[in-house]
């Protein structure tokens, strides 16, 4: 029952991570000396990652919420802000609180879109169970917006 569901979800997350590792693994195979012991914690490299992300985004319809969040996390970690945003937007449209929070953070810190971050945070605060530190985030965003308007 429930135990098997958790195993299957974990396996699906592993598949997403494996897809992100294909390019670095291919590179390591062709030039193992360049990678040495770093093959084990392989990460996406800058060349060709767009194709991997595009493939994952094209198949986003078969990913569940946690898998889309994982894709966004990987993209964000590599600085692929547009990919992270594209992975989060469908979840935000469905009012997924985790995605709303992650997109608000992305807008605030990486995209520099304070208005959108504030809008997302206000929507998140209006949910039945908002994050406990939401008031701190709202105060910070309102302060940033005021600073922008004063310029």
């Amino acid at each position: 029952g429930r135990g098997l569901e958790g195993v299957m979800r974990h396996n699906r997350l592993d598949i997403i991570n494996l897809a992100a590792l294909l390019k670095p693994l291919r590179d390591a195979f062709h030039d193992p000396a360049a990678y040495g012991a770093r093959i084990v914690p392989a990460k996406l490299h800058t060349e060709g990652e767009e194709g991997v992300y595009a493939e994952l985004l094209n198949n986003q319809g078969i990913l569940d919420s946690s898998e889309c969040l994982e894709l966004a996390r990987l993209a964000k970690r590599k600085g692929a802000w547009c990919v992270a945003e594209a992975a989060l937007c469908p979840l935000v449209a469905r009012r997924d609180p985790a995605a709303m929070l992650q997109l608000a953070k992305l807008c605030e810190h990486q995209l520099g879109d304070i208005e959108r971050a504030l809008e997302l945070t206000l929507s998140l605060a209006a949910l039945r169970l908002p994050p406990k530190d939401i008031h701190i985030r709202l105060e910070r965003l309102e302060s940033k917006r005021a600073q922008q308007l004063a310029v």
Side-chain angles (χ1 to χ4, degrees), residues 10-31:
H10 178 82
N11 288 345
R12 287 171 62 103
L13 292 174
D14 284 347
I15 290 169
I16 290 171
N17 281 290
L18 179 61
L21 292 173
L22 291 177
K23 166 86 171 72
L25 289 173
R26 187 191 72 219
D27 292 348
F29 178 77
H30 291 294
D31 188 11

Side-chain angles (χ1 to χ4, degrees), residues 86-143:
L88 293 170
C89 282
L91 299 177
V92 169
R94 295 192 307 254
R95 314 291 289 165
D96 181 294
M100 292 168 74
L101 180 60
Q102 291 309 311
L103 186 56
K105 289 178 179 181
L106 182 73
C107 288
E108 178 184 2
H109 300 294
Q110 281 78 34
L111 302 178
D113 189 344
I114 301 302
E115 283 297 322
R116 188 170 175 205
L118 183 57
E119 178 185 315
L120 285 160
T121 305
L122 286 168
S123 296
L124 190 56
L127 296 178
R128 257 184 340 120
L129 299 169
K132 57 184 168 187
D133 66 344
I134 197 74
H135 64 282
I136 296 169
R137 178 171 299 286
L138 278 170
E139 288 173 9
R140 184 179 63 249
L141 287 167
E142 287 171 349
S143 173

Side-chain angles (χ1 to χ4, degrees), residues 23-102:
K23 166 86 171 72
L25 289 173
R26 187 191 72 219
D27 292 348
F29 178 77
H30 291 294
D31 188 11
Y35 291 86
R38 296 187 184 267
I39 293 172
V40 174
K43 299 177 187 171
L44 282 171
H45 291 271
T46 54
E47 264 185 25
E49 70 186 22
E50 294 83 12
V52 171
Y53 285 136
E55 185 66 28
L56 288 169
L57 285 174
N58 287 339
N59 291 298
Q60 192 174 8
I62 63 169
L63 303 178
D64 67 18
S65 295
S66 64
E67 293 162 345
C68 289
L69 288 169
E70 179 69 4
L71 174 57
R73 184 189 68 78
L74 289 170
K76 189 175 173 184
R77 202 161 89 196
K78 286 302 292 179
W81 314 134
C82 292
V83 174
E85 182 180 16
L88 293 170
C89 282
L91 299 177
V92 169
R94 295 192 307 254
R95 314 291 289 165
D96 181 294
M100 292 168 74
L101 180 60
Q102 291 309 311

